[in-house]
Amino acid sequence: MYTERHFNLYKREKLHNRDFNGKEGKAYEAKDVYGPEITDKDGELLDQHDSFYINTKSLLVLFQIMGVMPIMRVPKGAQTTKRTTYNWISKATLWAYLVWSLESVIVIKVGRERYYNFQQNTNKRFDEVIYNIIFLSILIPHFLLPIASWRHGPEVAIFKNMWTHYQLKYLKITGTPIVFPKLYSLTWGLCVFSWALSFAVILSQNYLQDDFELWQSFAYYHIIAMLDGFCSLWYINCNAFGTASKGLATNLHKALEAEHPALKLAQYRHLWVDLSHMMQQLGRAYSNMYGIYCMVIFFTTTISLYGSLSEILDHGFSYKEMGLFVIVGYCMTLLFIICNEAYHATRKVGLEFQVRLLNVNLGAIDRSTQREVEMFLVAIEKNPPIMNLDGFTNINRELFAANISFMSTYLIVLMQFKLTLVRQGTKKVFKSIVDAIFNITTTVSQDDVEE
């Protein structure tokens, strides 16, 4: 169903569909410009041509099993355009409650153990207190999962449905489907790799850290796998946006080579706007999860770097510092992948598409098509394809650089605090040595006087 905003746009487009002499060209109907309407009767077609869901289903099922994002797919025969749904009392959600509750038992037990260690031993050095905080911070995403992930389930369902509708609309307008090469095998590989990497990171801590016991590792496996899964999800969606944009650009050039391509250009413009809105919806749907994701990475990386450098200054390089560097490398790699993939998706859908339009030879096309090219460029400017976490921040390479800058600043402050403690310790040692020498000298002098 077309909204009032759509009809207002259509009126403007009809007004623009005139040549420079004021003569009105062929008027397009709204249904022609916006493409065929998708109704409840198209449910079977939506499932049939939802290549993105078919290829990434393994990751969706993995999230359901882990209780991370309990969205569900409606039965194939259902007559509805909402193919993906979320309900607080669905089977997937009830399963998520159960899994999260069982995982909370071991997470709380390990968290209490860590908290008890640095609370009871008040004589521990500041560096050792910081070391305990690192592994407490990694437990935080588990407790924030209901707020950060489940609460945004309806927004995630909207995003999934947008992908489903977009592919059918793309097929009906362009006549060709969106092809995602190697996406099926890539998704399966990332699902397996997410858990393999989780075991590798946590077991390395058990081997390298003296007080990291094997039973404690069971509290961290699912958390690290969840972080890996969200990174994989981001990577897959960003690549899919680039693939869709490339296919649309190819069809755009084919349309420009045909006679009177104005209508096709108008349809492709609306396809592009839908793609841009999907990118914005991705950030909105996962805003809390990725926001917490970035904060945990920032905090954990800063503290881990401080702990490793502090231990190196005190005792030299050892297995303990190697374990902390593993955590730093892991966290920074995840953050870089998220920021870098968002940057490439934004560039492919935005700048590169804009450059293609700017390279169009306007002298070789009619005036109505020239007008459509201009409107296309305005649409790109007014609907920038950015990954924004619901107004909190934009995900791009600038965010990665800003995180490095902030981490460097806080690390310098912590190291200054550390060096102050070292200097104070050195003064105390020097003072004790001077006092000892003075006492010895005084004793010897008194002995000489007595003799």
Side-chain angles (χ1 to χ4, degrees):
M1 181 177 294
Y2 299 113
T3 63
E4 182 180 354
R5 180 176 65 86
H6 287 151
F7 280 114
N8 289 335
L9 286 173
Y10 165 65
K11 290 177 181 178
R12 287 202 297 269
E13 288 169 355
K14 186 175 179 181
L15 180 63
H16 286 310
N17 191 31
R18 299 170 180 267
D19 59 24
F20 291 108
N21 295 324
K23 295 174 63 179
E24 185 174 355
K26 181 182 177 181
Y28 304 128
E29 297 294 333
K31 63 180 181 180
D32 295 328
V33 175
Y34 295 101
E37 184 180 2
I38 298 176
T39 63
D40 291 343
K41 296 180 180 180
D42 294 321
E44 186 177 350
L45 282 175
L46 288 170
D47 286 333
Q48 182 180 350
H49 298 289
D50 195 354
S51 177
F52 184 74
Y53 166 74
I54 295 171
N55 286 302
T56 61
K57 184 179 178 180
S58 55
L59 187 58
L60 173 62
V61 173
L62 178 63
F63 276 177
Q64 289 176 335
I65 295 173
M66 295 173 60
V68 174
M69 178 49 68
I71 57 175
M72 295 187 67
R73 191 78 172 183
V74 299
K76 289 188 176 181
Q79 295 295 317
T80 177
T81 58
K82 297 180 180 179
R83 311 311 293 174
T84 303
T85 61
Y86 179 86
N87 193 305
W88 285 100
I89 56 173
S90 66
K91 292 180 180 179
T93 310
L94 294 176
W95 169 257
Y97 297 156
L98 176 62
V99 172
W100 185 82
S101 300
L102 293 176
E103 291 172 344
S104 296
V105 175
I106 183 67
V107 172
I108 291 173
K109 187 174 182 180
V110 172
R112 288 179 62 184
E113 185 80 14
R114 287 287 179 186
Y115 182 74
Y116 178 81
N117 284 343
F118 76 84
Q119 185 185 41
Q120 297 299 322
N121 300 297
T122 55
N123 294 327
K124 280 189 173 182
R125 295 182 297 111
F126 175 72
D127 302 337
E128 295 183 13
V129 174
I130 288 291
Y131 169 76
N132 280 283
I133 292 176
I134 294 173
F135 293 99
L136 276 173
S137 67
I138 299 176
L139 298 175
I140 292 176
H142 172 80
F143 297 104
L144 296 178
L145 183 64
I147 301 173
S149 184
W150 300 349
R151 189 170 68 88
H152 283 258
E155 293 292 335
V156 175
I158 291 173
F159 172 71
K160 295 292 185 182
N161 286 320
M162 289 175 73
W163 255 123
T164 303
H165 295 172
Y166 183 81
Q167 290 172 96
L168 182 58
K169 184 178 178 180
Y170 183 98
L171 175 63
K172 289 184 175 182
I173 292 178
T174 65
T176 58
I178 304 176
V179 180
F180 301 100
K182 300 180 180 180
L183 184 59
Y184 182 82
S185 56
L186 175 63
T187 305
W188 266 105
L190 288 174
C191 290
V192 175
F193 182 72
S194 295
W195 274 94
L197 181 61
S198 173
F199 278 98
V201 170
I202 299 304
L203 289 178
S204 69
Q205 298 306 307
N206 171 248
Y207 177 77
L208 297 171
Q209 308 292 346
D210 295 333
D211 61 343
F212 195 99
E213 300 179 18
L214 183 61
W215 72 271
Q216 294 178 343
S217 65
F218 289 95
Y220 294 93
Y221 291 132
H222 70 280
I223 297 176
I224 300 299
M226 177 182 69
L227 297 179
D228 296 340
F230 274 113
C231 185
S232 301
L233 176 70
W234 190 269
Y235 178 85
I236 288 171
N237 276 287
C238 289
N239 275 270
F241 289 137
T243 301
S245 177
K246 183 178 179 181
L248 186 60
T250 301
N251 283 286
L252 177 69
H253 280 288
K254 291 180 180 178
L256 288 171
E257 293 174 357
E259 294 184 2
H260 307 294
L263 176 59
K264 275 295 182 184
L265 219 61
Q267 293 175 337
Y268 291 168
R269 171 161 50 86
H270 288 289
L271 277 177
W272 184 92
V273 170
D274 289 343
L275 189 63
S276 178
H277 288 171
M278 276 199 297
M279 293 180 66
Q280 297 170 23
Q281 180 64 24
L282 173 63
R284 190 179 302 112
Y286 295 98
S287 58
N288 283 8
M289 196 65 233
Y290 285 108
I292 293 170
Y293 197 111
C294 293
M295 287 190 291
V296 169
I297 287 177
F298 171 78
F299 180 80
T300 304
T301 304
T302 304
I303 299 302
S304 298
L305 271 175
Y306 169 75
S308 57
L309 294 177
S310 178
E311 287 295 321
I312 290 174
L313 287 175
D314 289 342
H315 310 292
F317 193 81
S318 66
Y319 286 128
K320 183 176 182 179
E321 288 70 55
M322 190 180 298
L324 295 178
F325 279 126
V326 168
I327 295 176
V328 172
Y330 168 77
C331 291
M332 293 305 295
T333 300
L334 290 185
L335 184 61
F336 175 77
I337 291 173
I338 291 174
C339 295
N340 191 57
E341 291 305 316
Y343 164 79
H344 282 300
T346 301
R347 183 178 178 85
K348 289 177 182 177
V349 179
L351 180 61
E352 292 185 7
F353 207 97
Q354 193 174 33
V355 169
R356 288 175 182 267
L357 286 171
L358 290 171
N359 288 332
V360 172
N361 183 8
L362 297 180
I365 56 179
D366 56 79
R367 292 178 178 177
S368 60
T369 305
Q370 292 177 9
R371 176 64 67 179
E372 288 299 336
V373 170
E374 293 173 2
M375 291 183 66
F376 209 141
L377 291 170
V378 171
I380 294 176
E381 182 181 356
K382 298 298 182 182
N383 299 274
I386 57 176
M387 306 283 205
N388 184 276
L389 297 184
D390 204 14
F392 288 103
T393 185
N394 292 334
I395 305 296
N396 48 37
R397 285 180 175 176
E398 291 182 6
L399 178 63
F400 183 76
N403 269 271
I404 293 178
S405 176
F406 290 142
M407 282 188 286
S408 301
T409 301
Y410 285 109
L411 187 61
I412 290 172
V413 173
L414 288 170
M415 291 306 297
Q416 287 177 338
F417 180 66
K418 168 68 179 179
L419 293 175
T420 301
L421 293 177
V422 171
R423 284 196 296 267
Q424 290 178 350
T426 304
K427 288 180 180 179
K428 289 181 180 179
V429 172
F430 181 75
K431 184 178 180 181
S432 63
I433 293 174
V434 171
D435 290 342
I437 295 174
F438 179 78
N439 290 334
I440 293 172
T441 305
T442 304
T443 303
V444 172
S445 300
Q446 289 177 354
D447 292 340
D448 291 341
V449 171
E450 290 177 357
E451 291 178 0

